[in-house]
Amino acid sequence: HVQLVESGGGLVQPGGSLRLSCAGFGITYRDPCMGWLREVPGKEREVVASMDGYGHTIYAPAVEGRFTITKDNAKKTSSLQMNSLKPGDTGMYFCAVRLNSGCPIFPRDFDHWGQGTQVTVS
């Protein structure tokens, strides 16, 4: 049974920083893809950052240069460092895992995701 638990969300002023953390449990695939999804009311869930089993990263254009994803394959943890936050970054952030070394493009193709943590930039 795979479980992902996020932490670190909150309220921050524009220009500020937050660090989200994700702890994965029950993940037996050795080097999985882990990513962070964002959901904003009225919009489709999007992949903001992901790291595949080989350490390659992909970022959504809107966060490129401001967000940094890290992953520990052994511990099955991931973090998302978010700098220079903007009001448009506000949303619910979900940690997600794909039980494969490659990362999917679409949120629906991740195998599991957590309950989410709210980030509000205001």
Side-chain angles (χ1 to χ4, degrees), residues 38 62-68 81-86 89:
R38 177 168 68 192
V63 307
E64 182 85 51
R66 299 188 296 120
F67 290 13
T68 302
Q81 178 67 41
M82 306 185 294
N83 298 328
S84 302
L85 283 161
K86 305 175 181 180
D89 295 318

Side-chain angles (χ1 to χ4, degrees), residues 90-108:
T90 294
M92 186 70 78
Y93 285 71
F94 300 85
C95 176
V97 66
R98 172 80 181 270
L99 301 179
N100 189 292
S101 292
C103 283
I105 296 175
F106 301 108
R108 65 175 181 263

Side-chain angles (χ1 to χ4, degrees), residues 29-33 52-54 71 73-74 76 98 100-102:
Y29 192 86
R30 192 177 74 174
D31 300 323
C33 162
D52 67 17
Y54 310 103
K71 176 166 67 76
N73 285 328
K76 304 297 187 285
R98 172 80 181 270
N100 189 292
S101 292

